[in-house]
Amino acid sequence: MHVKAKTMAFSGLLLALTVIFMVLGSVIETSTLFLLAAASFFVGIIIREFGLRIGAAFYAAGVILGFITAPNKFYVISYAAMGLYIFLVEAAWQVMARGPRSAQRKSFFWVVKYLIFNAMFLPGLFFFQDFFFSGNLSLGILTGVAIGGQLGLWIYDQAYEYVQRHLWNKYRGRLLR
């Protein structure tokens, strides 16, 4: 596989930032979710700039380096879930972009996003309660957490789209000359 030097250098810089954000998430406990989300946003930047293959390699390298360097492995698992969500959403968008145009594409894409998220979130929530909580929770509390997760996905996805549309588009011309 032939990778251009600029692609390799830029991906390496973002990978270093990804690992730094994961490690800082362990150090600065109050900003853990923000730092892990920011680290996972780099997966989307790489995919949009260089494609799914390089994005998959970037994502895998981020998870592997996170397990090697980050002191809290649970945060690496959280990054892996967030990065996988972004990878799958970007892949779904690329598949949808090849299909016919329709007025309902945006609505359908949101349905796909929620299906991807819930395929990852709900089994973890219901089958691995002991991993996330200090005991078994009642069905009512689990339902509340599941609804809260849907709201959390909406916030996370809006933040990701903001970073891609506004922040990244503002700086990409300066960084990728």
Side-chain angles (χ1 to χ4, degrees):
M1 179 168 107
H2 176 42
V3 180
K4 296 178 183 172
K6 186 184 282 189
T7 301
M8 187 72 110
F10 184 71
S11 298
L13 287 173
L14 285 189
L15 186 59
L17 284 174
T18 298
V19 173
I20 289 170
F21 283 8
M22 275 190 273
V23 171
L24 281 177
S26 297
V27 175
I28 307 170
E29 293 288 333
T30 57
S31 299
T32 298
L33 276 177
F34 171 79
L35 291 167
L36 293 176
S40 68
F41 291 171
F42 294 139
V43 174
I45 290 172
I46 293 295
I47 290 171
R48 288 192 183 183
E49 291 300 323
F50 306 118
L52 282 174
R53 285 175 36 153
I54 293 176
F58 179 87
Y59 168 71
V63 172
I64 291 167
L65 284 173
F67 275 116
I68 292 170
T69 59
N72 192 335
K73 304 309 180 208
F74 182 73
Y75 295 159
V76 179
I77 293 169
S78 300
Y79 161 78
M82 291 176 180
L84 181 62
Y85 168 78
I86 287 179
F87 180 82
L88 293 174
V89 164
E90 291 292 334
W93 176 254
Q94 288 186 9
V95 168
M96 286 178 55
R98 289 186 220 132
R101 302 250 181 223
S102 76
Q104 298 174 341
R105 180 190 282 199
K106 190 171 185 177
S107 300
F108 181 70
F109 188 53
W110 270 101
V111 169
V112 169
K113 286 180 180 184
Y114 275 94
L115 287 174
I116 290 169
F117 172 74
N118 286 314
M120 295 168 46
F121 177 65
L122 293 179
L125 178 65
F126 287 105
F127 297 120
F128 300 106
Q129 288 182 40
D130 295 334
F131 189 68
F132 297 108
F133 307 108
S134 62
N136 289 338
L137 302 176
S138 69
L139 184 61
I141 292 175
L142 281 176
T143 303
V145 171
I147 292 169
Q150 308 308 307
L151 178 64
L153 169 68
W154 185 80
I155 292 169
Y156 175 75
D157 201 71
Q158 292 298 312
Y160 174 65
E161 290 300 325
Y162 178 81
V163 166
Q164 285 287 3
R165 273 193 219 121
H166 299 287
L167 298 179
W168 178 241
N169 279 340
K170 183 178 178 180
Y171 292 108
R172 75 185 291 240
R174 296 180 203 164
L175 296 173
L176 294 175
R177 287 186 195 180

